[in-house]
Amino acid sequence: MVGNNKFIAVIGGSQPSAKETRLAEAVGRELAKQGAIVVCGGLGGVMEATCKGASSEGGVTVGILPGDSRESANPYVQIPIVTGMGYARNVAVVKSAQAVIAIGGNYGTLSEISYALANGIPVIGLKTWSLSKNGKQDNSITIVQSPAEAVSKALSLAVNQ
Amino acid sequence: MVGNNKFIAVIGGSQPSAKETRLAEAVGRELAKQGAIVVCGGLGGVMEATCKGASSEGGVTVGILPGDSRESANPYVQIPIVTGMGYARNVAVVKSAQAVIAIGGNYGTLSEISYALANGIPVIGLKTWSLSKNGKQDNSITIVQSPAEAVSKALSLAVNQ
Amino acid sequence: MVGNNKFIAVIGGSQPSAKETRLAEAVGRELAKQGAIVVCGGLGGVMEATCKGASSEGGVTVGILPGDSRESANPYVQIPIVTGMGYARNVAVVKSAQAVIAIGGNYGTLSEISYALANGIPVIGLKTWSLSKNGKQDNSITIVQSPAEAVSKALSLAVNQ
Amino acid sequence: MVGNNKFIAVIGGSQPSAKETRLAEAVGRELAKQGAIVVCGGLGGVMEATCKGASSEGGVTVGILPGDSRESANPYVQIPIVTGMGYARNVAVVKSAQAVIAIGGNYGTLSEISYALANGIPVIGLKTWSLSKNGKQDNSITIVQSPAEAVSKALSLAVNQ
């Protein structure tokens, strides 16, 4: 079923704007078309829109949940992972992916971006955080302008680890 | 892909006896035939034998790994979840399942049995631990004698949570 | 403050019997008298009784909490560690200790006993679980009959790791 | 021992500049003078300098370690918490504090800043990350210019949770 398919995480907030929702759904569709498996935090908002998009193209979706019940997963999660570990599950979302696409997002998303960069996992950003330290811009996030470009970059930068 | 399929965890040691290995492979085959999705800790021994059995019947296998790399997964894991959390991942193995089948096993397996019982997730035991407290037998583990019986019990006792 | 003091975990249920509560308080007092630092899960029952006993003798108490708030700690916890990780915090309770004293307890306690044994950390048992596998008794838990004996064994068996 | 003392986390990289090291040690000294308990990740660099400063003034230091051994703690950690959970321990570092002081730092530090902000725990920044989203500056980090100011702000903003 899986074989050489790539695992790509899509991260973002649970209360996205309408535009972020459309971007997420388009990213999900494109990932599925390219044969990638979607990994996410399993809840609503960007996570749900991505899973919905992927499912509409017959893709596989994995949701790594913070709580104690699979029933908290959005309806498009096919493989719910129930961690019971709260925000600590963000580490697993990122580590289970070979590249990460960030769409919008709040501080939870920023923690996932941080974990990915700390682990050498490429981060592709669509309308998301940008970082600087001591007044100097950090360019570790690959900025893109469209869902197609996000998926293309994610697949080409994906690491094996 | 998943739909109403049940998620069943198979737990056991990484250095099983030849008999435990045969039992695990048979449990994996039977779970796949019944349409269940196998959840396990993703490494060798009982985990690998179960995934091998399930894969041979076209089943889906999820491996929730303790370490930092998907490359530690056995070759029959289709969905590797990389937690980087060491033994704490045992909680996620159990919580991601609706019933647990324990085959042999050491103290790591016993920790998973404990978590399952603490969470109201049924445990079916094949040649595994038995428990007593203050001299009184604890009968919470459903003891079975064969892989077919283990799978049948797991599917009939599986909870929705 | 700490120096060569030993860290000893005391584990047990949140709804102990009156006898277990008395044992736990006596264990806490004795640990403090011997200069050991008490590590526990930070909540009520055996955990609270142990911290109460240790505090009454001027001892130091560490509570590693499962939830999101220090306010869930019992009033005798001096150093509350807030993990937000649910049951996965049991791993940290055990790993932070050089020996573990188990008093009564349910499946959560059994998971901690399992983790300790899996990690080579000595477990001393007072009215707690006993284990067997495939009909053969497992004697890894050092059984004792009194709080004084529990503390004496814990301090003499304590590992450096 | 603890009573009404505040718990303040100090976060930062394991390979700080000489200036960051001096800042961290001064922050540790000042926290101890004010009666605060230092929480950190327990390793080297900023973590060690902070613990060294606090210890020199008789303060209490807690180190929440990512690995499997207390021996990885820096020599100034008095209460080592051994999690075995890798980066997931960053959540516990932050949640165990009532305010966080960030000094320099890399992506691990950024993940801790993110968790703190996600949980409503105040973050005080000394020569550390700054954030913007969609081109708009995020001012959630309270920027300070000196160790004394960092400690003063941390103590005045500290939350009870």
Side-chain angles (χ1 to χ4, degrees), chain A residues 33-107:
Chain A
K33 282 186 199 169
Q34 302 285 337
I37 292 170
V38 168
V39 178
C40 72
L43 301 178
V46 160
M47 298 168 265
E48 179 164 349
T50 305
C51 290
K52 186 179 177 188
S55 291
S56 73
E57 295 288 343
V60 175
T61 60
V62 178
I64 303 179
L65 297 159
D68 287 313
S69 168
R70 72 190 61 242
E71 302 198 351
S72 61
N74 74 60
Y76 308 102
V77 169
Q78 294 161 357
I79 309 279
I81 305 297
V82 184
T83 69
M85 291 180 201
Y87 267 120
R89 75 78 150 84
N90 291 9
V91 178
V93 171
V94 162
K95 280 183 176 286
S96 297
Q98 297 168 271
V100 173
I101 299 172
I103 302 171
N106 284 302
Y107 298 118

Side-chain angles (χ1 to χ4, degrees), chain A residues 20 87-91 95 104-108 110-111 113-115 117-119 126-135 138 140, chain D residues 20 87-91 95 104-108 110-111 113-115 117-119 126-135 138 140:
Chain A
E20 289 166 347
Y87 267 120
R89 75 78 150 84
N90 291 9
V91 178
K95 280 183 176 286
N106 284 302
Y107 298 118
L110 183 59
S111 77
I113 291 173
S114 309
Y115 277 128
L117 295 175
N119 283 279
L126 256 176
K127 314 277 178 204
T128 191
W129 291 97
S130 62
L131 312 171
S132 59
K133 194 165 65 170
N134 291 329
D138 176 303
S140 302
Chain D
E20 289 166 346
Y87 268 120
R89 74 77 152 85
N90 292 8
V91 178
K95 280 184 177 286
N106 285 302
Y107 299 119
L110 183 59
S111 77
I113 292 173
S114 309
Y115 276 128
L117 296 176
N119 282 279
L126 256 176
K127 314 277 177 204
T128 192
W129 292 97
S130 61
L131 311 172
S132 60
K133 194 164 65 168
N134 290 331
D138 175 303
S140 302

